[in-house]
Amino acid sequence: MAAAGLCLALLPGATPLASLDVEITGLRSAKGVIQLCLTADAGAFPDCKAGGNGIKRTLSAAAPHIRFEGLAPGEYAVAVIHDANGNARLDTMLGIPREGFGFSRNPAIGFGPPRFNAARFAVGVGGETQQVRMRYLL
C-alpha cells in the first residue's frame, strides 16, 4: 500500500499526498469516546456538519491518537469532544460544556468555539502532527 502511494506521488502531474497525526492530551478519564472533526472548510468548522466538507471520526478515549493518510496538502483545523458518556453529543449545563473539548493549535477560548482561522494549521507533503489539549470547564 505504501509503495503504491509512493509510486503515485512520483508520477508526473500526480497530486502529492500528506498525512496527519492527531494526539489528544489532558483527558480526565479513559471513559467514553472522542468525537473528532477534521476539515479544510471554515464553514464546516467545528462540527463537520455544514456542507459535509469534513472528516468525522470516533475513537476510544482509552487510545486518544489517530492518523489520517491521503490528505491533500493544505490548511486544516481539528475540533475534538470527549464524549465521556457516549451519547454522541457535547453535554452542557446552562450553555457551559460539561464534557471536555479541544481544538488544533490550542487557541484561547472565549464564549463559544474559536474561529477556523484560530485553529487552522498547514499540512504539507509528508506529514504533520497536531497535539490537541483537552479543556474542561465544569
Side-chain angles (χ1 to χ4, degrees), residues 14-126:
T15 302
L17 300 178
S19 64
L20 170 65
D21 287 296
V22 179
E23 300 170 356
I24 296 129
T25 64
L27 288 165
R28 274 190 185 162
S29 74
K31 293 180 181 177
V33 296
I34 303 294
Q35 302 286 342
L36 184 143
C37 166
L38 169 68
T39 185
D41 180 358
F45 184 77
D47 55 12
C48 287
K49 288 185 182 173
N53 292 326
I55 300 169
K56 291 180 86 169
R57 294 288 183 268
T58 301
L59 52 145
S60 169
H65 174 268
I66 189 167
R67 181 177 183 90
F68 295 92
E69 295 194 32
L71 296 174
E75 296 198 338
Y76 293 86
V78 172
V80 177
I81 295 171
H82 179 198
D83 184 9
N85 60 7
N87 67 353
R89 65 184 182 91
L90 178 65
D91 294 331
T92 62
M93 181 188 312
L94 302 172
I96 300 170
R98 297 182 69 197
E99 296 177 303
F101 60 89
F103 304 94
S104 48
R105 294 187 49 214
N106 301 302
I109 302 298
F111 293 102
R115 295 185 185 269
F116 178 83
N117 286 340
R120 77 177 174 181
F121 59 92
V123 174
V125 175

